[in-house]
Amino acid sequence: MRKVWKVLRNILIALIALILIVSAAVFIYHKYQLSKESALLSSKGTLVDFDNKKINVYNEGSGGDTYVLMPGSGIAAPIYEMKGLYSKFSKDNKIAIIERAGYGYSDVLDDDRDLDRILEQSREALIRSGNQPPYVLMPHSMSGLEAIYWAQKYPDEVKAIIAMDIGLPQDYVTYKMSFVQSLNIRAMNVFTKIGFHRFLPSSTYNEEVLKQSFLTDQEKEIFKAISFKMTFNDDMLHELLQIDENAKKSVARPLPKGTPILFLAAYTDQNEHSAYNERKNKSYEELASQLSRSEVKRVKGKHSIYLYAPDEIYKLATDFIKK
């Protein structure tokens, strides 16, 4: 029996040594690639200082309303990924993209990602980059939490919200992240720090961005470089782990009944009648019924609907604002 345990111990030691060697090799390769790719990453936008760290805001267009695009969780390079959508709005309006801490050209602040802190950074970054309220907020996915909270705390600053397949505060509170999910998120954070994500590009960035033509070849290379650098960093980790507590802050406040909200619910032929989609649509309808001015529209496309239906989103949004 002792011999068996000794053999097993030796196998385990060898396995651990192999994992460490492979991890070290991947880490060195990752750092080498980051060094090469750094030549592509000259800042695009206005960098606003927060305690010696920078948050980037990209502006485009002039006149009309100011549409503020707010990327969802994990969208590492928002300026490039969302270009197919915001380039339509910037023809007649001003657009601003807030790259939250840990996104795009912004620094990683490595704080607790408390919702009040995130919101105050967004407000100050917008004003200091030349954007005055009121704004038309265009959140995607998890950013819906910040947008609704914005309307709750500062209703005079929010002209309307164009909610692109957002998560609702009440749903985040009701359907809490499981322990297993939190472990998976932490593991992804470790894997990306080492550099394993370089061998899994489909988990690093949305490959649909590369298939479409709204980016130049050079911009596609920048998009990939930013994604490899920023994906699942500590700020992205903390904002996900903090989401339950952040949602409670919004739920504790009265609904922003005076803020017009257009809910755009994504669906595909495969998931149109799934339990998740049915639940999401019901949540949108229930919230919309409690607001003074709100509509729910279904838009065909995957969760990142700005990639699949930019023309439809532009028309629905501008029509909603005109009303």
Side-chain angles (χ1 to χ4, degrees):
M1 182 62 69
R2 288 183 178 179
K3 288 184 178 180
V4 172
W5 282 114
K6 187 175 181 180
V7 170
L8 291 175
R9 185 191 65 184
N10 290 339
I11 292 173
L12 180 61
I13 292 172
L15 183 60
I16 292 173
L18 179 62
I19 292 173
L20 291 174
I21 291 170
V22 171
S23 297
V26 170
F27 180 74
I28 292 170
Y29 174 73
H30 178 49
K31 290 298 182 182
Y32 171 71
Q33 289 297 112
L34 288 177
S35 178
K36 284 178 58 179
E37 292 160 355
S38 64
L40 294 169
L41 305 183
S42 56
S43 180
K44 186 176 182 179
T46 301
L47 293 171
V48 179
D49 185 79
F50 288 90
D51 298 325
N52 297 318
K53 295 290 184 72
K54 308 292 184 183
I55 288 181
N56 188 54
V57 179
Y58 174 74
N59 298 318
E60 186 175 294
S62 60
D65 291 308
T66 299
Y67 287 81
V68 178
L69 281 83
M70 305 166 68
S73 175
I75 309 301
I79 292 175
Y80 300 94
E81 180 157 336
M82 306 184 88
K83 183 180 178 180
L85 177 63
Y86 69 70
S87 59
K88 300 185 183 302
F89 286 88
S90 64
K91 293 176 182 177
D92 302 304
N93 301 275
K94 186 175 185 180
I95 67 97
I97 299 180
I98 304 174
E99 294 193 313
R100 294 191 304 280
Y103 287 75
Y105 292 105
S106 297
D107 291 331
V108 176
L109 269 61
D110 196 18
D111 58 20
D112 60 3
R113 295 286 79 199
D114 174 78
L115 184 57
D116 283 289
R117 187 192 307 274
I118 293 172
L119 176 55
E120 296 311 316
Q121 288 171 353
S122 294
R123 295 176 66 238
E124 187 173 344
L126 278 174
I127 291 173
R128 289 168 60 185
S129 61
N131 299 285
Q132 298 296 324
Y135 311 112
V136 177
L137 303 181
M138 295 191 67
H140 171 249
S141 192
M142 192 181 72
S143 285
L145 182 59
E146 181 186 356
I148 290 175
Y149 195 59
W150 199 329
Q152 290 173 309
K153 285 192 74 174
Y154 307 104
D156 292 341
E157 295 183 4
V158 183
K159 180 175 180 177
I161 298 175
I162 309 300
M164 298 185 289
D165 211 43
I166 66 168
L168 298 178
Q170 184 59 55
D171 286 346
Y172 286 125
V173 171
T174 303
Y175 306 101
K176 294 182 179 181
M177 182 184 299
S178 68
F179 177 70
V180 173
Q181 287 174 320
S182 68
L183 284 181
N184 288 337
I185 290 169
R186 293 179 187 276
M188 282 295 295
N189 175 251
V190 173
F191 288 158
T192 53
K193 283 181 177 178
I194 296 172
F196 282 109
H197 62 301
R198 284 195 175 270
F199 305 96
L200 296 167
S202 61
S203 67
T204 303
Y205 51 76
N206 193 328
E207 294 182 316
E208 182 66 25
V209 176
L210 304 181
K211 295 175 183 177
Q212 296 195 23
S213 60
F214 58 82
L215 295 181
T216 65
D217 290 342
Q218 174 75 357
E219 287 173 330
K220 288 179 179 179
E221 292 304 311
I222 297 171
F223 166 73
K224 290 191 289 184
I226 294 176
S227 297
F228 283 128
K229 178 184 178 182
M230 303 301 286
T231 291
F232 247 107
N233 57 57
D234 286 344
D235 283 347
M236 294 184 184
L237 168 70
H238 293 152
E239 70 180 11
L240 283 172
L241 295 179
Q242 182 73 8
I243 196 165
D244 293 347
E245 293 303 314
N246 283 340
K248 288 177 183 177
K249 289 191 170 191
S250 178
V251 169
R253 287 178 172 268
L255 291 174
K257 292 186 177 181
T259 302
I261 303 180
L262 172 62
F263 294 98
L264 302 179
Y267 76 95
T268 64
D269 291 334
Q270 291 74 30
N271 71 13
E272 183 176 6
H273 300 294
S274 67
Y276 168 77
N277 239 35
E278 295 290 344
R279 188 183 77 208
K280 177 185 69 177
N281 293 336
K282 183 180 179 182
S283 293
Y284 287 168
E285 295 286 356
E286 288 178 350
L287 180 53
S289 68
Q290 300 176 67
L291 304 177
S292 300
R293 188 66 184 276
S294 185
E295 296 178 12
V296 179
K297 300 289 185 181
R298 296 167 70 252
V299 177
K300 190 170 185 178
K302 295 182 180 179
H303 179 51
S304 299
I305 49 175
Y306 50 84
L307 290 174
Y308 300 92
D311 291 303
E312 185 176 358
I313 292 172
Y314 173 72
K315 185 177 187 309
L316 288 171
T318 52
D319 286 349
F320 183 73
I321 298 300
K322 286 175 184 177
K323 290 178 184 178

